[in-house]
Amino acid sequence: MSTSKQTADAIIVGGGLHGCATALYLAMRGVNCAVLEKDYVGRHASGVNAGGVRRLGRALPEVPLADTALSIWRNIEDLIDDDCGFKSLGQVKVAENNAELSALKNRAKTVQDIGFLHEEIIDQKQLRELLPAVASHCIGGLYVNGDGHANPYRTVTAFKRKAISMGVRIFEKTPVTEIVRHGKNWQVKSPSKKIEAPIIVNCAGAWGGSIAAQLGDYAPVEAQALMLMITARMPHFVKPVVGSQGRTLSFKQFDNGTVMMGGAYQGSAEPEQNNTHLSFNGLAKNARAATAIFPIMRQATIVRSWAGIEGVMPDNIPVIGAGSADGVYHAFGFSAHGFALGPLVGKIITDLIDGGDIELPIDAFRIRRFSQNKDI
Amino acid sequence: MKDHYDIAIIGTGPAGMAAATVASAHGADVLIVDEQPEVGGQIYRGITHQSIKDKTILGDDYYKGQSLADAFAASNADHVSGATIWQVSPEREIGISKDGAAHLLTADQVIIATGAQERPFPIPGWTLPGVMTAGSAQILLKSSGITFSNAVFAGTGPLLYLIAYQYLKAGVPIRAILDTTPKSNRLKALPHLPGALFHLSSIMKGRKWIKALKSSGTLFIEGIDNLKITGKDSTEAIEYLLQNKWHRIEASNVFLHQGVVPNVNLAMASGCIHHWNEQKLCWHASTDEWGSSNVPGISIAGDGGGIGGAIAAEYQGRIAAYQALYTTNKVKKQERDTNVLPAQHALTHEMRIRPFLDAMFRPATQYRIPTDDATIVCRCEEVTAGKIRESISLGCAGPNQLKGFTRCGMGPCQGRFCSLSVSELIAKAQNVSVNELEQLRLRPPVKPLMLAELANLTTLASEDT
Ligand SMILES: Cc1cc2nc3c(=O)[nH]c(=O)nc-3n(C[C@H](O)[C@H](O)[C@H](O)COP(=O)(O)OP(=O)(O)OC[C@H]3O[C@@H](n4cnc5c(N)ncnc54)[C@H](O)[C@@H]3O)c2cc1C
């Protein structure tokens, strides 16, 4: 490897889904970019997440983004020559009692009030039709037709391949250790590489806070270890992705019959060591939630569990937008639901860099919302 | 079972039994757990209730387990049999399932003594019904006296000859023995012969088995290549190349074996560092002279850390137990040192034969790294060698990425039966050593766990998610 100086039009820190997608969109506009990834592409959240692609239950500022992202997912093959295993089988959030159902009704109304009609209330009969295996006490739910899931590792790898085919240089095992201003450029250093460009995009996920700090911005990102578990093959009993209003749960069955469960139950994370530890107390809660909604799960056998390191912001929505210094852009801290936005955010960043119009409202995601930044 | 023990031992083979006996004799509160209903591990399986009357069938080495098992039975260690250990966390939180209920308990010291498993033998047809490992055939013999007439034994290694010999002694007809030991091994083993001569009796024993097999009139064929098993829905024949000519032997049972390797999954998932041993072609735990790993309070004894055989395992169990006793202030340094000294000497002696055995019975590359693209490597997810090579060409750099590409190693066995083949296959395709690859990341549950058990898990401490 050479330590000789290299240049680019834009440097992207982090080879997760957002880093790779940003590089691809930039390259499609003729921008010469380099992605620096400390491990390998998809090693962290982007490669090991639950693959959920949902509009259902999004924080309000994210609703328009999730809606636009879904339209890209529907034709993802046109963009990156791979269908990413995307399946649009709907997502549903189950209510177990009247209080939960009325909370869901309020939610649906709030979303309708901002102009989106995708979240619809379903009654007990419709719920049964949708989820024949659901526990008999469940009385209804909130349903979004068209939501679904995709294969995360395959997705991030497809973005990587497409980006490379468009001329993007991706450097793996290349940790960014220092960023300094060098004239009009940002000079980015790594033990094996030194590279500079006028534009830098921080797509460093759970590590985004320290990259932001080196670029003069403040963001209180917490690195969390989110856990998932998967069962041995079972007979097919559920098609949509299922959540719960009263419990923390995310639940889906794959074509091969295995069932994946999660819901942001946390283990412990050591982001500096790339390490995570599982908490069986948390997984036990996850198991209780799953068996409560689907009694058939009592027969399930867990064969694997794991955790991925995700950057979570205090208000549970990401940082997307320009930084305070020239040429700095951020897209990180997706707070456990950034996979679904993967094919979109890079496009927004590219539009920002291009100086063009941003059709979607992104003000809520500005980095200056955190107190230590001088808000304007 | 209590919520906490001074010392918890996983596995009731020679290492585990020896460790438990020593530890409880010195007043430690000891838990010892195994999946099997009876003590003995693989080597002494069925030792406490052996139904085979004729002691010459299983042989003297087997009955050496008797005194070990007797001493263990007389100890006051808490013995939980028929239980699954699905995790040992770096904090030594142990997850156990027994009779449909899961428990979490803790221990100050954990000794992992999970023993050996047979090396995978990925050749065409190895997943057909009717094919099993020679070790499994031996388990059936030891634990219930079950045998199969006219089976073909194929492979290499002392255990293969021993089991065939035990079949011979039991009067069960053998269709053929196909020896895959590469001819060139002899020459490579020669420099290690002096060390092995300290164990002349073991070597003579091995020769005796082979001689007896040959002189019994059993078909014994050496120097074969391109072994494969054929059949439509189950095993019909085994085929091979001998002096450039294809041969075919009809058989409905084939016993494959090409050596044993440490069973590392539990220790790896606990965070114990392992390295690739190129002489032994498998993962070895990186431990110190006491068997202690990098994870505080977790040590590894017996074949689970590196293959040494039953006698060595027993010594390693004693050594690990004394160190655990010392660390928990149950014995003084002086007492530990005087007690382990004989075991340490004996262990060094035991190990002298290993380099010779490793070189002599080093399995051929063609039977470790499948050349035929259609050969299955990952049985759980039915991933073929071809599929793996294709993923590598798409940029898949190691076994962890391979999971994302192909689900290889993600089935119920968690890579237990494929990770060696996968690692070697990837390393070969990339022309690097296995040590340069990222290791397969293993996670609990190391063994499948019922969701209903997990849901009812008795929680240790209140913890919020
Ligand atoms: C278990 C789990 C389940 C999830 N389920 C879902 C779901 O169902 N649906 C959904 O929409 N989202 C889900 N998410 C969230 C989603 O995975 C993430 O929001 C998304 O992948 C974030 O992508 P990213 O590119 O920002 O981050 P990452 O994938 O974390 O990528 C950031 C990259 O930056 C690299 N990096 C960091 N610092 C440096 C440095 N100094 N130098 C070089 N490189 C650096 C890191 O190595 C990393 O590869 C889940 C997350 C987890 C962990």
Side-chain angles (χ1 to χ4, degrees):
Chain A
M1 263 182 274
S2 85
T3 41
S4 67
K5 210 176 80 186
Q6 297 188 24
T7 59
D9 297 335
I11 294 167
I12 289 134
V13 184
L17 182 54
H18 290 286
C20 291
T22 302
L24 172 62
Y25 282 111
L26 283 169
M28 282 165 35
R29 305 245 179 113
V31 178
N32 170 357
C33 17
V35 177
L36 273 59
E37 164 55 51
K38 67 182 171 65
D39 299 307
Y40 57 81
V41 166
R43 162 72 173 86
H44 295 290
S46 298
V48 302
N49 66 64
V53 174
R54 68 178 165 87
R55 290 168 292 172
L56 173 64
R58 286 267 167 190
L60 290 184
E62 286 187 349
V63 170
L65 275 65
D67 195 55
T68 307
L70 187 80
S71 61
I72 308 178
W73 276 110
R74 286 207 177 101
N75 302 302
I76 194 80
E77 198 164 355
D78 296 346
L79 181 67
I80 50 173
D81 313 326
D82 191 318
D83 70 10
C84 300
F86 177 65
K87 299 226 157 42
S88 157
L89 298 164
Q91 291 224 7
V92 61
K93 203 175 223 184
V94 172
E96 293 176 75
N97 54 47
N98 281 318
E100 287 175 19
L101 192 58
S102 65
L104 289 177
K105 283 178 179 159
N106 288 339
R107 158 74 191 184
K109 173 142 191 340
T110 317
V111 175
Q112 278 164 21
D113 288 348
I114 61 163
F116 290 89
L117 304 177
H118 51 255
E119 296 194 1
E120 51 175 311
I121 290 291
I122 54 173
D123 63 18
Q124 192 166 33
K125 187 164 160 284
Q126 291 167 304
L127 182 70
R128 270 304 125 66
E129 276 164 19
L130 199 62
L131 308 174
V134 79
S136 56
H137 71 278
C138 297
I139 59 165
L142 189 59
Y143 178 60
V144 178
N145 188 14
D147 281 5
H149 61 87
N151 179 328
Y153 195 72
R154 183 164 152 193
T155 303
V156 65
T157 311
F159 269 96
K160 168 188 169 180
R161 271 206 306 276
K162 184 72 184 185
I164 291 172
S165 78
M166 302 287 299
V168 172
R169 287 170 286 161
I170 297 187
F171 302 103
E172 297 180 311
K173 295 187 185 151
T174 308
V176 172
T177 46
E178 197 188 348
I179 307 170
V180 291
R181 196 76 199 175
H182 191 238
K184 283 194 164 154
N185 281 347
W186 291 101
Q187 189 179 77
V188 176
K189 294 180 188 167
S190 157
S192 58
K193 190 161 259 32
K194 207 187 259 179
I195 181 163
E196 60 180 71
I199 289 168
I200 183 162
V201 190
N202 171 11
C203 293
W207 299 263
S210 70
I211 299 294
Q214 296 183 64
L215 296 167
D217 287 315
Y218 169 75
V221 198
E222 191 198 336
Q224 293 186 356
L226 308 179
M227 304 191 292
L228 289 172
M229 50 185 168
I230 197 154
T231 69
R233 289 162 205 222
M234 300 180 72
H236 284 274
F237 67 90
V238 59
K239 283 204 168 102
V241 179
V242 182
S244 150
Q245 172 64 15
R247 305 168 192 269
T248 319
L249 182 67
S250 149
F251 188 95
K252 64 175 72 75
Q253 186 169 30
F254 296 113
D255 281 350
N256 68 3
T258 60
V259 174
M260 179 190 271
M261 279 161 286
Y265 290 93
Q266 279 182 52
S268 51
E270 294 172 331
E272 300 313 316
Q273 280 80 45
N274 283 346
N275 232 349
T276 57
H277 296 290
L278 300 174
S279 148
F280 271 84
N281 291 323
L283 292 177
K285 282 185 203 165
N286 197 344
R288 286 195 282 277
T291 47
I293 306 285
F294 289 110
I296 186 182
M297 289 304 288
R298 303 208 128 260
Q299 271 100 63
T301 312
I302 301 299
V303 297
R304 273 175 59 75
S305 61
W306 69 94
I309 300 179
E310 169 71 332
V312 178
M313 306 310 299
D315 50 3
N316 282 305
I317 56 172
V319 172
I320 305 172
S324 23
D326 276 354
V328 172
Y329 298 86
H330 300 288
F332 65 88
F334 283 87
S335 308
H337 38 253
F339 177 70
L341 302 180
L344 174 72
V345 175
K347 188 162 179 290
I348 295 176
I349 297 289
T350 301
D351 287 341
L352 279 174
I353 292 173
D354 248 2
D357 281 345
I358 310 295
E359 284 151 32
L360 291 159
I362 57 162
D363 194 49
F365 309 115
R366 70 197 184 284
I367 197 161
R368 294 177 179 208
R369 69 186 189 270
F370 301 108
S371 60
Q372 290 184 23
N373 296 307
K374 326 164 268 312
D375 211 335
I376 25 170
Chain B
M1 251 187 294
K2 302 178 201 152
D3 286 344
H4 181 81
Y5 287 88
D6 295 328
I7 301 175
I9 299 163
I10 324 291
T12 55
M17 285 195 291
T21 308
V22 165
S24 47
H26 288 82
D29 216 357
V30 176
L31 171 73
I32 177 163
V33 209
D34 201 295
E35 299 186 322
Q36 297 302 324
E38 314 267 346
V39 300
Q42 307 290 11
I43 179 99
Y44 303 135
R45 191 178 292 240
I47 189 75
T48 51
H49 70 284
Q50 193 41 259
S51 56
I52 298 175
K53 295 272 157 8
D54 179 356
K55 289 201 172 186
T56 62
I57 292 178
L58 295 177
D60 290 349
D61 285 346
Y62 174 77
Y63 292 97
K64 276 183 194 157
Q66 190 71 58
S67 55
L68 194 58
D70 289 345
F72 170 70
S75 80
N76 50 17
D78 257 2
H79 176 206
V80 179
S81 59
T84 310
I85 301 291
W86 40 267
Q87 89 149 349
V88 172
S89 79
E91 294 76 30
R92 297 179 310 283
E93 188 180 83
I94 302 169
I96 301 183
S97 281
K98 165 86 180 162
D99 299 334
H103 312 273
L104 280 176
L105 53 87
T106 55
D108 292 334
Q109 296 285 314
V110 175
I111 300 175
I112 296 179
T114 43
Q117 61 176 49
E118 286 172 279
R119 178 187 293 284
F121 208 135
I123 53 172
W126 71 303
T127 57
L128 280 171
V131 181
M132 65 169 114
T133 66
S136 311
Q138 194 196 36
I139 288 171
L140 289 170
L141 173 70
K142 283 179 188 168
S143 58
S144 35
I146 295 174
T147 54
F148 300 84
S149 294
N150 297 313
V152 173
F153 286 71
T156 181
L159 193 57
L160 184 80
Y161 313 127
L162 169 62
I163 300 167
Y165 178 74
Q166 289 172 336
Y167 255 57
L168 187 71
K169 279 276 168 191
V172 187
I174 297 172
R175 182 74 186 82
I177 297 167
L178 304 180
D179 194 320
T180 62
T181 314
K183 280 255 150 70
S184 58
N185 281 9
R186 281 171 188 239
L187 207 61
K188 290 178 188 147
L190 212 54
H192 304 293
L193 192 60
L197 289 178
F198 288 98
H199 292 268
L200 198 58
S201 64
S202 299
I203 296 178
M204 295 317 288
K205 222 181 294 167
R207 294 183 67 108
K208 179 182 93 181
W209 301 334
I210 294 175
K211 214 171 135 208
L213 287 163
K214 285 183 176 166
S215 61
S216 72
T218 308
L219 202 56
F220 194 115
I221 305 165
E222 289 161 279
I224 60 162
D225 276 309
N226 294 51
L227 196 65
K228 64 180 180 192
I229 296 157
T230 53
K232 210 164 156 286
D233 303 313
S234 64
T235 305
E236 290 167 16
I238 184 158
E239 299 175 24
Y240 57 92
L241 211 53
L242 182 67
Q243 285 148 4
N244 294 320
K245 250 189 79 191
W246 279 103
H247 295 261
R248 175 186 158 94
I249 297 176
E250 276 174 29
S252 43
N253 288 101
V254 173
F255 302 152
L256 295 175
H257 177 85
Q258 52 177 350
V260 294
V261 293
N263 178 359
V264 293
N265 277 33
L266 185 64
M268 270 193 181
S270 309
C272 299
I273 294 175
H274 287 70
H275 59 271
W276 179 258
N277 183 313
E278 189 52 39
Q279 276 67 49
K280 294 173 187 281
L281 299 166
C282 60
W283 299 107
H284 264 206
S286 306
T287 52
D288 65 12
E289 55 184 317
W290 307 102
S292 305
S293 76
N294 56 300
V295 183
I298 299 185
S299 60
I300 301 161
D303 278 357
I307 303 300
I311 307 296
E314 192 178 327
Y315 295 130
Q316 288 170 333
R318 296 174 68 87
I319 294 168
Y322 274 110
Q323 176 65 355
L325 287 164
Y326 169 68
T327 318
T328 51
N329 296 318
K330 298 270 187 302
V331 299
K332 297 248 164 10
K333 186 168 179 300
Q334 171 77 43
E335 191 180 358
R336 175 197 72 179
D337 292 348
T338 33
N339 274 297
V340 298
L341 202 63
Q344 282 166 332
H345 284 313
L347 180 61
T348 312
H349 176 71
E350 260 321 292
M351 290 304 199
R352 282 186 167 144
I353 194 176
R354 289 289 145 187
F356 174 77
L357 293 178
D358 293 339
M360 186 64 206
F361 300 110
R362 185 182 175 91
T365 313
Q366 59 171 326
Y367 301 128
R368 305 194 322 268
I369 307 176
T371 42
D372 177 13
D373 275 347
T375 303
I376 287 177
V377 174
C378 166
R379 307 182 69 136
C380 301
E381 297 292 330
E382 300 193 336
V383 184
T384 61
K387 180 84 194 159
I388 295 173
R389 278 190 274 263
E390 181 195 316
S391 307
I392 298 167
S393 69
L394 283 173
C396 168
N400 292 306
Q401 286 112 310
L402 192 63
K403 292 192 284 190
F405 266 88
T406 63
R407 302 187 47 81
C408 182
M410 286 178 79
C413 93
Q414 285 226 24
R416 187 189 301 272
F417 300 117
C418 67
S419 81
L420 291 178
S421 325
V422 165
S423 302
E424 284 209 85
L425 211 154
I426 298 178
K428 181 157 190 242
Q430 298 179 349
N431 201 16
V432 296
S433 112
V434 176
N435 261 324
E436 289 171 60
L437 300 179
E438 196 184 48
Q439 280 174 30
L440 186 68
R441 279 191 295 279
L442 286 165
R443 302 285 203 169
V446 173
K447 290 283 171 77
L449 170 66
M450 293 289 293
L451 191 74
E453 288 180 38
L454 176 58
N456 293 330
L457 187 66
T458 30
T459 324
L460 270 183
S462 66
E463 192 186 321
D464 268 337
T465 45

